[in-house]
Amino acid sequence: MSNTKVNLTTQNRLIITGLILSTVLIVAIAVFAIFNIQKKLNIGYQNFGQVISKTLAIESIEITRGLNIEETKRILKAHSDVILKSHNDIVYIEFRDAAGNIIYSGRNPHKGEDKVPSITVNSPMITSDGINMGSVTVGLSGNIINEISTTTRASLLFVFTVAWVVFAFVILINTYLITRELRILHEGVSKISHGAFGYKIEGKDVSTEVQELFDAFNDMSNRLHIYEEQNIEQLTLERNKLEAVLLCIANGVVVCDNYDNVVLVNNHAQQLLEVEEKQLLDTKIQQYMDTEGNYCFKDKIEEFKDTPLEEIQNKPIEFNIEIDKRVIKSVISPMFTRNNDYVGYIIVLIDVTKETEMDQMRAHFISNVSHELRTPVTVLRSYIDTLYNYGDEFDIATKKEFIATLNQEIIRLNRMVNDILDFSRLDANATLEKSPNNIMELVESCANQVQVLLKEHNLKISISKSDDIPVATFNYNSIERALINYISNAIKYSPENGEIKIAVTTLNNDNDIQITVTDQGCGIAPEHQKKVFDRFFRVENDTHTVKGTGLGLHLVKTTIEKHHGGKVFVVSEPGKGSTFGFIIPVVPMENKIKMDK
Ligand code: ADP
């Protein structure tokens, strides 16, 4: 049930009261007028009856003078009939003698027998001599007076009703005209309050004061419009600046409003989420699906919404999502206006695939190093224990064999410790002392150092070289370790009885020297080839089949590229073998600069 309450203004109440009062007044005047007219008519009618009865009395005396009773009756009847026929309003005429006996009584044939007159008028019949001859009574129907009063009433009612309607109409029109200006002003104010700045109001036939008010309003509206335009320009500028910053930012940024609708996605976010802007804009971020078909933001956004804002401000929600094998760190933080009103949230996306891989590799490295250190130490301990306890019982050859194995393990341990030390030294900005050296001597020395290993694996090694290899300036020890790394890897990954080829050539008009180590080993899959020089990277990281720390090739790359301005490369075919190589300039860059100076 609706409970509608009409609120009337004072003005409306005045109008209604005025209308009611005027209605009451008009009705009272009408009733009074009708009552008065009716009264006057009744008196007039009464007089009319008197005149008729008096005239009849006089006439009757005259026409019956000297007649006997029978003739008198006949004459009176004839006279009455003529009058009754000609006067529709007379119901009956009655003549009586002086004693009051009826001489003649005649009724109007049009009125019927039972018609009761509304007025009866009686006049005595007195002769000029003063003799009472009787009386005449006339009954009048009152029809005329009724008709007249009905017509008069109707006319008066009509006149007063018309007068009332005109009066009411005039009042309403007047009220409408008075409030028209207020309504125009009200409409203008309402438009302005709804933001239609610049809206103008116009008034025709208004007073000067009102026109001034209208002009002031229009002026205010115009000023508001100009202010709004300036403000919009400023806001647009600010927004564009902000958008430009967000769009260019190196991290992905997705901005959502209070209703989870995406309102901004920068280019980087589109790349990371592998979507186009139009696919994401104006959609709910919870509906975004990763490559696996999971709604990867849904749960975290719910968690974000369930957490109090003060808490989330200090500690934004962080989580990782995976899109097409890339790990993307996502951080959800709330957004506030300057007035501290919450308006939505922002999701920052950072590609942490490399860092995650690096973390994994670092973990593998730690486990590899500890594994690698434990193995030679265990071998050394058990061999030394055996020699210490039972050494006297062994012949010289067995003792030599034991010592050779101990030596091998110590060399391996030493190399590993050197690798780890070099890793921190070479990765830092330490400069390596360089001196002119014969590269062929270095190559041959490396080949000699791995003789024992070669023998262990039944492998052959060959060295080829182009003519006139120039003397080059480099850090002997680090280049030696780089080459030893290549050769020991080749030994590690070569099958029994395989051959390892070392080739030394000059390139670029004898300005560069290239050394390659080719084996017939397992080779490296193309997707791993770009990564083998990364630190901690090992193809066998997950299997532990071949020993290593994943540092060797990274050290080679650092030595060659960072410290000698050269280049490392690998060419490999899985199942067939690999060629690892490096190129170093004959004269290092820093020496060239010195020479130029
Ligand atoms: P590690 O010291 O563990 O051998 P490296 O940096 O020397 O580490 O090598 C990195 C990875 O490169 C190795 O795990 C191996 O999978 C691959 N690799 C290096 N040399 C060869 C090669 N000659 N043949 C096949 N794979 C190789």
Side-chain angles (χ1 to χ4, degrees):
M1 219 178 81
S2 68
N3 214 350
T4 43
K5 199 175 166 193
V6 184
N7 283 326
L8 290 176
T9 60
T10 313
Q11 192 184 23
N12 286 341
R13 266 189 247 122
L14 261 176
I15 293 169
I16 291 170
T17 317
L19 275 175
I20 292 171
L21 282 179
S22 61
T23 310
V24 170
L25 194 69
I26 285 173
V27 168
I29 292 171
V31 168
F32 178 74
I34 290 169
F35 178 77
N36 248 356
I37 289 169
Q38 190 87 41
K39 205 172 146 193
K40 289 270 174 349
L41 274 174
N42 281 342
I43 292 167
Y45 199 59
Q46 197 89 26
N47 290 341
F48 165 70
Q50 290 283 348
V51 169
I52 287 183
S53 68
K54 267 186 187 146
T55 314
L56 254 178
I58 293 163
E59 274 178 359
S60 303
I61 292 169
E62 284 302 312
I63 57 175
T64 57
R65 192 182 296 271
L67 294 179
N68 63 25
I69 191 78
E70 282 308 313
E71 279 184 327
T72 302
K73 271 187 185 175
R74 192 179 53 79
I75 289 293
L76 286 178
K77 180 183 179 311
H79 191 55
S80 298
D81 286 349
V82 173
I83 291 169
L84 285 169
K85 265 187 202 154
S86 58
H87 288 85
N88 221 3
D89 214 40
I90 301 172
V91 180
Y92 71 86
I93 301 173
E94 204 172 72
F95 294 98
R96 288 176 192 262
D97 59 18
N101 298 319
I102 295 171
I103 305 169
Y104 173 74
S105 175
R107 285 191 79 84
N108 194 331
H110 304 299
K111 297 292 177 190
E113 280 306 305
D114 46 353
K115 171 76 182 169
V116 182
S118 64
I119 293 173
T120 48
V121 194
N122 192 298
S123 289
M125 293 194 292
I126 295 166
T127 62
S128 49
D129 314 334
I131 301 160
N132 185 3
M133 295 294 289
S135 67
V136 57
T137 307
V138 177
L140 293 168
S141 67
N143 274 354
I144 292 177
I145 193 170
N146 282 347
E147 270 173 33
I148 293 172
S149 62
T150 310
T151 315
T152 313
R153 235 188 349 255
S155 308
L156 276 174
L157 268 178
F158 176 74
V159 168
F160 279 113
T161 310
V162 168
W164 185 85
V165 168
V166 170
F167 176 73
F169 184 73
V170 168
I171 284 192
L172 290 176
I173 287 283
N174 195 35
T175 317
Y176 172 82
L177 287 177
I178 290 170
T179 55
R180 185 178 65 117
E181 290 146 8
L182 268 180
R183 265 181 287 108
I184 294 175
L185 203 62
H186 173 264
E187 195 189 334
V189 172
S190 137
K191 292 257 185 213
I192 295 277
S193 70
H194 284 92
F197 301 145
Y199 179 77
K200 281 199 166 42
I201 54 175
E202 272 173 45
K204 277 181 201 149
D205 299 332
V206 291
S207 62
T208 330
E209 290 89 351
V210 174
Q211 190 55 53
E212 274 173 17
L213 182 68
F214 280 15
D215 289 346
F217 176 90
N218 289 341
D219 187 42
M220 176 199 73
S221 175
N222 198 32
R223 276 165 194 271
L224 280 173
H225 181 59
I226 294 168
Y227 177 74
E228 185 196 26
E229 275 188 347
Q230 283 173 349
N231 225 16
I232 284 177
E233 258 177 43
Q234 188 66 24
L235 282 175
T236 318
L237 196 78
E238 288 296 323
R239 192 193 146 92
N240 286 350
K241 265 200 303 198
L242 203 70
E243 259 193 31
V245 170
L246 285 178
L247 290 175
C248 302
I249 219 160
N251 292 328
V253 177
V254 179
V255 180
C256 297
D257 65 13
N258 216 343
Y259 308 99
D260 303 320
N261 292 322
V262 177
V263 289
L264 188 139
V265 207
N266 74 350
N267 292 341
H268 202 67
Q270 290 171 45
Q271 284 164 16
L272 291 177
L273 299 177
E274 295 185 349
V275 278
E276 279 178 32
E277 188 181 25
K278 59 175 185 271
Q279 287 174 276
L280 216 55
L281 275 187
D282 293 327
T283 62
K284 303 250 179 272
I285 189 66
Q286 288 96 326
Q287 278 158 15
Y288 172 80
M289 272 195 269
D290 61 14
T291 25
E292 299 273 291
N294 301 320
Y295 295 109
C296 52
F297 288 115
K298 200 164 176 260
D299 292 348
K300 292 292 172 183
I301 299 240
E302 257 156 45
E303 186 187 327
F304 167 79
K305 286 184 168 176
D306 291 342
T307 319
L309 280 175
E310 308 79 57
E311 200 178 304
I312 216 106
Q313 251 179 309
N314 301 328
K315 197 169 167 280
I317 293 206
E318 284 189 25
F319 56 99
N320 282 357
I321 58 171
E322 226 181 281
I323 288 157
D324 204 11
K325 291 191 184 140
R326 274 177 300 115
V327 185
I328 293 156
K329 180 169 151 188
S330 313
V331 185
I332 312 181
S333 329
M335 274 191 320
F336 298 94
T337 61
R338 276 172 203 236
N339 302 335
N340 232 12
D341 297 326
Y342 172 74
V343 283
Y345 50 90
I346 184 161
I347 307 175
V348 176
L349 305 166
I350 307 154
D351 190 343
V352 289
T353 319
K354 272 231 168 272
E355 286 82 344
T356 316
E357 273 178 9
M358 197 50 80
D359 281 348
Q360 277 171 6
M361 285 199 280
R362 209 171 279 140
H364 279 298
F365 169 72
I366 305 283
S367 98
N368 286 343
V369 167
S370 34
H371 186 264
E372 291 294 279
L373 286 174
R374 206 181 303 123
T375 317
V377 171
T378 319
V379 172
L380 287 175
R381 266 189 60 191
S382 61
Y383 270 61
I384 290 169
D385 262 7
T386 317
L387 272 180
Y388 183 76
N389 292 322
Y390 310 104
D392 296 344
E393 296 165 27
F394 294 152
D395 57 20
I396 286 286
T398 316
K399 278 183 189 165
K400 268 191 173 172
E401 207 179 303
F402 263 70
I403 288 165
T405 311
L406 284 172
N407 193 34
Q408 275 303 315
E409 288 304 321
I410 285 168
I411 290 172
R412 208 149 76 85
L413 205 58
N414 185 39
R415 181 141 32 94
M416 205 149 46
V417 172
N418 277 344
D419 270 3
I420 296 168
L421 288 176
D422 280 357
F423 168 65
S424 52
R425 194 163 56 93
L426 292 178
D427 251 18
N429 279 340
T431 43
L432 296 180
E433 279 295 317
K434 295 183 187 101
S435 53
N437 290 297
N438 184 340
I439 194 87
M440 287 317 297
E441 265 176 28
L442 181 143
V443 173
E444 271 151 26
S445 147
C446 290
N448 283 334
Q449 284 177 48
V450 294
Q451 281 307 321
V452 184
L453 273 175
L454 288 168
K455 249 191 218 151
E456 253 179 36
H457 293 87
N458 265 336
L459 296 168
K460 273 190 230 150
I461 196 159
S462 65
I463 301 170
S464 64
K465 68 174 204 69
S466 54
D467 302 330
D468 301 330
I469 302 288
V471 169
T473 304
F474 54 87
N475 179 281
Y476 191 91
N477 287 342
S478 66
I479 296 289
E480 183 186 42
R481 250 201 307 279
L483 188 58
I484 289 278
N485 235 310
Y486 273 177
I487 301 171
S488 6
N489 276 349
I491 295 171
K492 258 201 273 187
Y493 297 100
S494 284
E496 290 267 320
N497 304 318
E499 192 184 354
I500 295 166
K501 292 178 183 161
I502 303 175
V504 185
T505 44
T506 55
L507 297 177
N508 202 6
N509 283 337
D510 292 348
N511 278 322
D512 296 325
I513 297 175
Q514 173 181 289
I515 302 180
T516 55
V517 178
T518 305
D519 63 57
Q520 298 163 332
C522 55
I524 304 164
E527 69 269 22
H528 292 142
Q529 285 177 23
K530 348 185 216 346
K531 292 187 178 175
V532 285
F533 291 99
D534 290 353
R535 58 184 167 167
F536 309 137
F537 178 83
R538 302 196 70 234
V539 175
E540 319 78 1
N541 246 343
D542 299 324
T543 53
H544 260 305
T545 45
V546 185
K547 293 171 181 176
T549 56
L551 275 184
L553 290 182
H554 174 70
L555 287 175
V556 175
K557 186 177 161 83
T558 316
T559 305
I560 301 298
E561 294 189 354
K562 187 171 167 195
H563 293 279
H564 286 87
K567 189 99 203 114
V568 293
F569 59 88
V570 58
V571 183
S572 180
E573 205 178 318
K576 290 204 169 157
S578 318
T579 296
F580 278 87
F582 59 78
I583 301 165
I584 51 165
V586 171
V587 181
M589 191 56 88
E590 59 263 29
N591 291 20
K592 276 187 196 158
I593 293 169
K594 270 186 214 157
M595 272 157 50
D596 287 351
K597 279 183 181 169

